[in-house]
């Protein structure tokens, strides 16, 4: 039980740091300290690097702490699961591509090809096509599909995945508030038409 608590707390700390740095107040502090141009150029890249560093402890504890297997898929089921994981992995890559990888990573702002508002979220423009036609957060949805098809599943891995799921859901709420401020009525209409994480299969069929 102590292993699970440590993993959950680690993910919670990651989520807190990630959400705090994504907030407008943190960006405002960066702009006051660094100036508008420098803050705009480096903030997104620094944000991503800090995210990687802050999730690292949770990943480390997941594999380093004592663990117990809960289940594993039979061979034929595992082949199907790995195939779906591969598709989900492509979905993750495509989702980032749709958001503009260079903007999402912070490289576009760093090299100064274009200047963007420091308050911008993970995308420079509202994306509603491709996978975004089915869910508002395809990056989260495809990542969760990949994670939940992990085999063998252990207690530590399940604790990590469940914690990330909760963070994705809570994080999407705060992210959408910023998207509404950024894109206004266009995003409100998008929210009405497209579900958050689980596609409405009947609608698309």
């Amino acid at each position: 039980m102590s292993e699970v608590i440590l993993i959950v707390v680690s993910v919670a700390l990651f989520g807190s740091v990630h959400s705090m740095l994504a907030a407008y107040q943190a960006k405002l502090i960066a702009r006051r300290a660094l100036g508008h141009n420098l803050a705009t150029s480096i903030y997104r890249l620094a944000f991503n690097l800090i995210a990687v560093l802050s999730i690292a402890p949770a990943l480390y504890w997941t594999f380093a702490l004592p663990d117990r297997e809960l289940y594993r898929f039979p061979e034929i089921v595992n082949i199907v699961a790995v195939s779906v994981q591969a598709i989900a992995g492509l979905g993750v890559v495509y989702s980032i591509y749709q958001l503009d990888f260079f903007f999402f990573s912070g490289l576009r702002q760093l090299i100064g090809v274009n200047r963007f508002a420091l308050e911008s979220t993970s995308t420079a423009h509202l994306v509603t096509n491709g996978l975004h036609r089915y869910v508002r957060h395809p990056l989260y949805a495809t990542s969760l599909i990949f994670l939940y098809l992990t085999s063998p599943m252990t207690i530590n891995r399940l604790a990590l995945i469940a914690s990330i799921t909760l963070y994705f859901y809570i994080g999407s709420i705060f992210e959408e508030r910023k998207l509404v401020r950024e894109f206004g009525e266009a995003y409100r209409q998008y929210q009405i038409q497209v579900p958050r994480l689980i596609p409405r299969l009947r609608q698309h069929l």
Side-chain angles (χ1 to χ4, degrees):
M1 181 59 71
S2 59
E3 292 86 0
V4 170
I5 293 173
L6 185 55
I7 293 168
V8 171
V9 170
S10 297
V11 175
L13 290 174
F14 155 75
S16 299
V17 170
H18 198 257
S19 297
M20 180 182 67
L21 292 178
Y24 173 74
Q25 290 80 1
K27 296 175 181 179
L28 186 61
I29 292 172
R31 179 160 54 192
R32 289 173 177 171
L34 303 174
H36 176 75
N37 287 345
L38 181 59
T40 303
S41 296
I42 68 171
Y43 195 90
R44 181 71 195 182
L45 182 61
F47 173 81
N48 287 327
L49 292 175
I50 293 171
V52 171
L53 293 175
S54 58
I55 194 61
L59 298 176
Y60 173 78
W61 295 128
T62 298
F63 294 99
L65 292 173
D67 204 358
R68 180 165 62 87
E69 184 176 309
L70 292 173
Y71 62 83
R72 67 173 61 221
F73 297 141
E75 184 175 355
I76 185 64
V77 176
N78 193 55
I79 292 173
V80 175
V82 170
S83 300
V84 176
Q85 279 185 312
I87 296 171
L90 291 175
V92 171
V93 173
Y94 182 66
S95 298
I96 296 175
Y97 166 77
Q98 278 199 287
L99 294 173
D100 182 347
F101 168 77
F102 289 103
F103 183 89
F104 182 86
S105 65
L107 294 175
R108 191 177 299 283
Q109 297 91 315
L110 181 65
I111 61 179
V113 173
N114 289 300
R115 289 293 178 186
F116 300 94
L118 181 60
E119 296 77 14
S120 295
T121 52
S122 56
T123 176
H125 58 277
L126 179 59
V127 180
T128 59
N129 61 341
L131 295 181
H132 288 80
R133 290 174 52 201
Y134 305 101
V135 289
R136 300 198 298 270
H137 301 277
L139 178 59
Y140 296 165
T142 51
S143 296
L144 291 176
I145 291 171
F146 184 93
L147 291 172
Y148 275 103
L149 289 176
T150 297
S151 179
M153 182 65 73
T154 67
I155 292 177
N156 289 357
R157 291 177 184 179
L158 184 59
L160 176 71
I161 294 169
S163 301
I164 289 176
T165 302
L166 181 61
Y167 172 69
F168 277 175
Y169 186 80
I170 295 174
S172 70
I173 295 174
F174 290 100
E175 183 177 349
E176 290 195 0
R177 290 177 182 175
K178 289 183 291 183
L179 288 166
V180 167
R181 288 198 299 269
E182 195 169 345
F183 299 111
E185 186 60 28
Y187 195 81
R188 292 190 185 93
Q189 289 299 317
Y190 178 61
Q191 285 178 303
I192 294 172
Q193 296 167 1
V194 179
R196 186 185 302 271
L197 290 172
I198 302 175
R200 302 187 186 106
L201 295 180
R202 181 180 299 179
Q203 173 183 334
H204 295 291
L205 290 174

